[in-house]
């Protein structure tokens, strides 16, 4: 039994390791050192190109839960991260070079893994797991586009609006409805008075933008204008764009407000909302500061901030199943940020799940369905949720997991209870995952 894994980043390294531990012969293709992307500086595997932090390590945080699930399931990435951690308060930060060096050493010393350096421009015959990352080379991206078929199947720039937890919207300052009451009341409408809009507009037009990386260019802005750029074109521009009040009668006044921000459901459960038309290139703290000026969002919990950057990713809900496999060609699976998971740990989790399921299929074992109550399962079900019509990459968050069946007072305690529920499930599945 043989599998080709393309890319030795976090997802590819985790996937190759999990396959090898289950007796699968892996050919791991990595274009370094022969070729690098502008974001890479070393020849090691699992290179951390941005921060050296894997974010919170607390179980009251969803990414902390995801890390603990992976620890209990024998993750290579988590083993190396824990072994090379540096002090960072409640976060898990690592010695960047030490971490990558340890992953590389373990991969290179594994007898079931054969490493082939050089750029991949086509897919091998047989089982293939593609984990080539958000900076996938142009040649491979073109080949994937041909394989995937649809013109819109592969996105080269990620222009995404912020996502917020639905239960953090102040519905005393908003109402559910649709423009001119057409169809069903699917939008949460967040009104602003003229004074509120003026203050919001002033803050938005002067807020600090994130830097453009060296491997990006202004093409990121051509197809989808950032809301702050739109605002700078004039005080009233947004009032004729994403904040237009026309056709939205505020039930408290019977009139159209001065301005309205609309929130649209982003998942089938209605637990996550998208700020319609708010693609943005602002720094994350600036997004929280400015967008929290919208009265209904004064206490909003941001599940994901808006981004506009180079990011090759799939329209996964149309293309992949919950195991990260292509629906129309199951011999090809994907892992990492190109599937629409966002973040180091999330990439690792996708590589883990894709590899475990691939190895089970090759050995005629039934699928191992991680439920939505687990962080690993919630990510796989999010990226394959066909109810998500406008797909955006996503970090793990409690908003894409089912709520508790009982009330727990306080957000911290509620999140801890969600984690306890998940880890009980993972503990019960652990023995089967090792087969």
């Amino acid at each position: 039994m043989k599998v080709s894994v393309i890319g030795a980043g976090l997802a590819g390294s985790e996937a190759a390791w999990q396959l090898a531990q289950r007796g699968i012969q892996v050919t791991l293709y990595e274009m370094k050192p022969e070729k690098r992307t502008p974001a890479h500086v070393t020849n090691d595997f699992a290179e951390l190109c941005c921060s050296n932090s894997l974010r919170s390590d607390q179980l009251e945080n969803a990414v902390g839960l995801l890390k603990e699930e992976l620890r209990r399931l024998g993750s290579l990435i988590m083993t190396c991260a824990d072994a090379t951690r540096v002090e960072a308060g409640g976060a898990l930060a690592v010695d960047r070079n030490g971490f990558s060096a340890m992953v590389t050493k373990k991969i290179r010393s594994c007898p079931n893994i054969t490493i082939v350096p050089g750029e991949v421009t086509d897919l091998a015959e047989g089982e293939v797991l593609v984990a080539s990352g958000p900076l996938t080379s142009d040649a491979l991206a073109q080949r994937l586009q041909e394989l995937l078929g649809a013109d819109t199947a592969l996105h080269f720039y990620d222009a995404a609006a912020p996502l917020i937890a639905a239960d953090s919207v102040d519905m005393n300052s908003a109402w559910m409805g649709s423009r001119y009451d057409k169809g069903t009341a699917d939008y949460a409408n967040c009104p602003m008075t003229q004074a509120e809009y003026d203050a919001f507009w002033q803050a938005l037009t002067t807020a600090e933008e994130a830097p453009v990386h060296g491997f990006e260019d202004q093409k990121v802005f051509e197809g989808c204008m950032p809301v702050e750029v739109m605002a700078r074109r004039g005080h009233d521009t947004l009032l004729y764009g994403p904040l237009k009040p026309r056709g939205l009668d505020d039930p408290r006044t019977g009139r159209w407000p001065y301005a309205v921000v609309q929130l649209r459901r982003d998942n089938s459960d209605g637990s996550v909302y998208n700020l319609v038309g708010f693609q943005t290139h602002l720094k994350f703290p600036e997004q929280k500061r400015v967008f929290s000026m919208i009265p209904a969002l004064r206490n909003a919990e941001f599940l994901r901030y808006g981004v506009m950057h180079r990011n090759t990713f799939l329209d996964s809900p149309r293309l992949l199943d919950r195991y990260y496999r292509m629906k129309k060609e199951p011999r090809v699976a994907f892992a990492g940020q190109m599937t629409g998971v966002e973040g180091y740990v999330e990439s690792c989790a996708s590589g883990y799940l894709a590899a475990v399921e691939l190895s089970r299929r090759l050995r005629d074992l039934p699928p191992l369905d991680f439920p939505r109550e687990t962080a690993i399962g919630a990510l796989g079900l999010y990226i394959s949720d066909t109810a998500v019509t406008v797909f955006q990459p996503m970090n793990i968050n409690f908003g894409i997991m089912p709520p508790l069946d009982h009330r727990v007072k306080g957000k911290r305690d509620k999140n801890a209870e969600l984690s306890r529920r998940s880890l009980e499930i993972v503990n019960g599945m652990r023995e089967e995952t090792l087969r």
Side-chain angles (χ1 to χ4, degrees), residues 352-388:
Y352 171 86
L353 179 55
V356 168
E357 285 303 332
L358 175 52
S359 72
R360 292 179 70 86
R361 181 164 62 86
L362 290 175
R363 293 175 293 140
D364 295 322
L365 294 173
L368 189 64
D369 292 339
F370 282 85
R372 196 182 297 273
E373 285 79 5
T374 65
I376 292 173
L379 279 173
L381 289 165
Y382 172 75
I383 67 97
S384 59
D385 184 357
T386 56
V388 178

Side-chain angles (χ1 to χ4, degrees), residues 213-235:
H213 298 292
F215 52 84
E216 298 173 333
D217 57 40
Q218 292 302 314
K219 290 180 182 178
V220 69
F221 302 116
E222 290 177 1
C224 192
M225 186 181 298
V227 66
E228 63 272 12
V229 174
M230 197 182 309
R232 292 182 196 127
R233 294 192 168 185
H235 177 274

Side-chain angles (χ1 to χ4, degrees), residues 241-278:
L243 273 72
K244 66 181 178 183
R246 180 177 293 275
L248 294 169
D249 294 325
D250 188 333
R252 295 166 298 183
T253 65
R255 301 169 58 88
W256 298 346
Y258 187 80
V260 177
V261 175
Q262 289 196 301
L263 311 179
R264 180 181 58 231
R265 281 173 38 148
D266 197 73
N267 64 347
S268 56
D269 295 333
S271 59
V272 180
Y273 278 143
N274 175 303
L275 274 71
V276 177
F278 270 62

Side-chain angles (χ1 to χ4, degrees), residues 192-205 227-245 258-259:
M192 285 191 279
T193 65
Q194 182 171 355
E196 290 165 345
Y197 174 81
D198 289 346
F200 170 78
W201 177 81
Q202 183 65 37
L204 182 59
T205 56
V227 66
E228 63 272 12
V229 174
M230 197 182 309
R232 292 182 196 127
R233 294 192 168 185
H235 177 274
D236 292 351
T237 303
L238 295 177
L239 300 178
Y240 293 94
L243 273 72
K244 66 181 178 183
Y258 187 80

Side-chain angles (χ1 to χ4, degrees), residues 388-402:
V388 178
T389 55
V390 181
F391 182 62
Q392 300 177 11
M394 172 79 84
N395 290 114
I396 184 61
N397 60 81
F398 287 119
I400 63 173
M401 301 170 70

